[in-house]
Amino acid sequence: MPHRLQTHIAPLDGLRGWAALMVVIGHFGFFGTIAPAHRQLGTYGVFLFFALSGFLMGHLYLSKPISKQATATYLVARISRVVPLYYATVLGGYLIGRYIDPNFNYAMDTSTLVRHLVFLGSVPPFWSIAPEIQFYFLFPVLWWIVTRPAETRMRYAIPAAIFAIVVFFFRGNFPGIIVFSKMHIFLAGITVAVIRPYIIARLDTKTAIIAQIFALIVLAVLLLPASITGELIYPTGGASDIKMNRYYGDLGRLLPFAFVILAFTFETKLANLIFANRLMRLTGKFSFSLYLLHSPVMYVFEKYGVFEYFSYWSAIGITMVVLYLVSTASFYLLEEPSRVVVRRTLLGIFARLDGRSKIPAVAAA
């Protein structure tokens, strides 16, 4: 596989932040006010998160040799990034619902709590963490196949491809919290990571900028009201589509997102201006806290009449400022410290199990 030009791609930090903002913007419509865009914009935000996650796994790891130590450091990097804040938020929602406010939007009973702790829960937005975590444990299989010697690789690649195709055709039959219902989205991101080195070697800056302009148009169209976009962008359907197969299961919606990610892996002046500026990169840095904590903040604001007391855009602005403050505090006080502790703890356990005394470094993810 050709050498990748760089490991860290700055515009993708901001693109991840924009994915979180898509969820936030769409969710205003569920909390006592009118959303600035369609309610299902958040669905596309999760869609983008999944594809970005697949890209980063492929980009960071597929060009490296696989081993027990490499697999351990990969799993530690992914788990320590997601699980601590997820567990803290799930447990917080359970305790608040049980002892403070039974109507809290993250409230759950004990059996539901247990399902979430084993990544099989469906309370929004926690449901999306389940397929993410499950795919973390599937990815090493693909990694192992890619790193097989060329003369034996197809022996494993062909059955894996057949399996992926079969899963894709039956994707709508799997529960929405099971990775097989979303696996094609992660694989699309990985595919972008695989083809990117070949494209970047042949693409000039002007063409890259044109591609990015089209990618921005794709993202901008999602902000238009349904009265303009119609069924093409925001299809209506019956209540039976609780798994949102009209969105997550639609290949036609997946390809534009793969294109958007590919376009912004090129660090042009336009990409850096839009997604690698300081504000968007900070949004990307705090995106997981923003994703998990925006809903409780909006719930509190609705409960205490913030959306009614202030004018529409004032309420939106105040909410966004508070969300940024809460996400920043969460990142520095909980998310990052817990990530470091969990990372060192898990690496220490893996090192002892492998008979090593030195703790290996973890790649950024």
Side-chain angles (χ1 to χ4, degrees):
M1 185 174 291
H3 174 67
R4 288 183 169 87
L5 299 182
Q6 79 269 25
T7 299
H8 182 255
I9 304 170
L12 294 189
D13 294 341
L15 188 60
R16 182 168 59 242
W18 179 244
L21 289 176
M22 290 168 67
V23 176
V24 172
I25 293 169
H27 283 183
F28 271 105
F30 294 94
F31 292 97
T33 189
I34 300 172
H38 197 282
R39 284 187 174 193
Q40 295 305 333
L41 179 66
T43 301
Y44 283 120
V46 176
F47 209 128
L48 185 54
F49 267 128
F50 286 156
L52 272 170
S53 182
F55 173 83
L56 289 173
M57 281 185 267
H59 177 66
L60 291 172
Y61 297 102
L62 285 185
S63 60
K64 300 176 181 178
I66 192 171
S67 64
K68 286 193 299 182
Q69 180 176 333
T71 303
T73 54
Y74 150 77
L75 287 172
V76 167
R78 308 307 296 183
I79 290 172
S80 64
R81 172 73 174 86
V82 172
V83 173
L85 182 63
Y86 168 79
Y87 270 7
T89 310
V90 167
L91 288 169
Y94 171 76
L95 293 173
I96 292 172
R98 187 177 180 89
Y99 297 108
I100 300 176
D101 182 0
N103 295 316
F104 186 56
N105 59 327
Y106 283 1
M108 59 187 79
D109 58 27
T110 303
S111 64
T112 304
L113 170 66
V114 172
R115 288 199 298 273
H116 281 81
L117 293 178
V118 297
F119 307 104
L120 291 174
S122 57
V123 172
F126 301 132
W127 72 266
S128 63
I129 309 301
E132 176 93 6
I133 291 290
Q134 293 162 28
F135 191 78
Y136 290 168
F137 290 91
L138 278 180
F139 175 75
V141 177
L142 177 61
W143 187 7
W144 182 83
I145 292 172
V146 169
T147 56
R148 292 303 85 204
E151 61 271 16
T152 61
R153 188 180 304 149
M154 297 306 294
R155 183 187 308 169
Y156 307 102
I158 292 176
I162 293 173
F163 173 77
I165 292 170
V166 171
V167 167
F168 175 75
F169 279 106
F170 287 95
R171 63 196 181 282
N173 297 317
F174 295 103
I177 58 173
I178 300 300
V179 65
F180 298 128
S181 67
K182 309 292 186 299
M183 190 170 74
H184 56 289
I185 306 177
F186 294 102
L187 290 177
I190 291 174
T191 300
V192 171
V194 171
I195 66 175
R196 175 180 176 268
Y198 300 96
I199 295 176
I200 202 171
R202 296 166 174 81
L203 199 67
D204 59 76
T205 301
K206 182 179 179 180
T207 306
I209 291 175
I210 293 173
Q212 289 166 356
I213 291 172
F214 277 103
L216 288 173
I217 292 172
V218 170
L219 296 177
V221 166
L222 299 178
L223 298 174
L224 297 175
S227 59
I228 296 176
T229 60
E231 292 286 310
L232 179 65
I233 306 300
Y234 291 109
T236 57
S240 59
D241 190 26
I242 59 175
K243 294 184 288 186
M244 302 302 289
N245 287 326
R246 293 164 298 162
Y247 292 85
Y248 297 116
D250 189 340
L251 183 62
R253 300 177 197 281
L254 176 57
L255 295 179
F257 280 102
F259 170 74
V260 168
I261 293 171
L262 177 61
F264 286 107
T265 61
F266 302 98
E267 295 196 38
T268 66
K269 289 183 179 180
L270 177 63
N272 290 335
L273 175 66
I274 300 296
F275 287 123
N277 63 73
R278 181 169 177 79
L279 177 60
M280 288 307 300
R281 292 190 70 182
L282 282 174
T283 306
K285 187 175 185 179
F286 308 146
S287 59
F288 192 49
S289 287
L290 185 62
Y291 178 69
L292 288 184
L293 300 179
H294 75 279
S295 187
V297 171
M298 289 181 175
Y299 170 83
V300 171
F301 276 27
E302 179 187 26
K303 182 177 180 179
Y304 292 101
V306 172
F307 295 122
E308 297 176 358
Y309 184 79
F310 292 97
S311 66
Y312 177 74
W313 287 109
S314 295
I316 296 292
I318 291 169
T319 304
M320 293 306 301
V321 170
V322 172
L323 288 177
Y324 268 83
L325 292 175
V326 168
S327 300
T328 301
S330 169
F331 180 83
Y332 285 113
L333 298 179
L334 178 58
E335 184 179 345
E336 183 62 11
S338 63
R339 184 187 70 83
V340 172
V341 171
V342 170
R343 179 191 65 186
R344 291 189 61 85
T345 301
L346 291 178
L347 285 175
I349 292 172
F350 279 124
R352 286 191 292 274
L353 290 175
D354 201 35
R356 291 178 283 109
S357 58
K358 184 178 179 181
I359 298 177
V362 178

